[in-house]
């Protein structure tokens, strides 16, 4: 589902150090965005909800704004995730691309035929709740 007016749900892909990744943007702010990213690390494939803001790390005001905004989104991500067993909260607020949630998906992919519907519904629910929290604060 793509909203052409806001460019919401745009899909991007590429590779980092030879590993492919794919992103789908769910929130487009004035100087930041929030997106889901599928990637791999040393533990295998994962899905992460990320906050991206290329702020000037040498500017105290921009650094504070970035940290405050990240912390707000972090709370929204935590609330949206609830008691979900998949979710592991991130804590990398000083990065341009900071992780809010991190979900290892090796087990889900290994049992995709059984896990597919439930996992997709969980991710949709987290996304919908997160966006609702953001919209309710505007």
């Amino acid at each position: 589902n793509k909203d052409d007016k806001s460019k919401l749900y745009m899909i991007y892909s590429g590779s980092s150090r030879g590993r492919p990744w794919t992103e789908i943007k769910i929130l487009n702010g004035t100087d930041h965005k929030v997106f889901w990213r599928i990637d791999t690390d040393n533990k295998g494939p994962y899905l992460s909800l990320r906050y991206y803001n290329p702020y000037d790390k040498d500017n105290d005001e921009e650094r504070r704004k970035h940290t405050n905004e990240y912390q707000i989104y972090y709370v929204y991500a935590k609330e949206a995730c609830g008691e979900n067993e998949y979710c592991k909260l991130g804590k990398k607020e000083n990065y341009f691309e900071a992780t809010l949630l991190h979900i290892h998906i090796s087990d889900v992919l290994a049992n995709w035929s059984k896990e597919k519907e439930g996992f997709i519904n969980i991710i949709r629910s987290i996304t919908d709740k997160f966006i609702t929290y953001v919209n309710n604060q505007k």
Side-chain angles (χ1 to χ4, degrees), residues 110-126:
N111 298 300
W112 188 245
S113 60
K114 287 190 225 176
E115 301 279 340
K116 176 183 176 181
E117 188 175 326
F119 185 73
I120 289 171
N121 288 336
I122 287 168
I123 299 305
R124 283 183 179 154
S125 175
I126 290 169

Side-chain angles (χ1 to χ4, degrees), residues 41-93:
D41 62 15
N42 59 353
K43 294 181 182 176
Y46 66 85
L47 180 64
S48 62
L49 184 62
R50 298 200 180 172
Y51 163 74
Y52 177 74
N53 176 3
Y55 68 102
D56 180 355
K57 290 185 177 188
D58 294 327
N59 181 310
D60 289 340
E61 185 178 330
E62 283 191 32
R63 189 172 54 250
R64 267 193 303 279
K65 181 180 181 245
H66 171 86
T67 300
N68 289 339
E69 203 163 59
Y70 172 85
Q71 289 172 350
I72 289 167
Y73 286 144
Y74 178 86
V75 169
Y76 295 161
K78 183 178 180 179
E79 290 295 318
C81 210
E83 298 294 320
N84 192 288
E85 65 182 289
Y86 292 114
C87 295
K88 304 292 183 246
L89 294 167
K91 206 56 173 148
K92 295 182 177 182
E93 64 192 33

Side-chain angles (χ1 to χ4, degrees), residues 29-45:
T30 53
D31 57 358
H32 67 279
K33 61 184 177 178
V34 176
F35 56 90
W36 284 107
R37 180 179 178 123
I38 298 172
D39 204 340
T40 57
D41 62 15
N42 59 353
K43 294 181 182 176

Side-chain angles (χ1 to χ4, degrees), residues 23-34:
E23 299 173 350
I24 182 167
K25 184 172 42 171
I26 65 166
L27 180 71
N28 198 26
T30 53
D31 57 358
H32 67 279
K33 61 184 177 178
V34 176

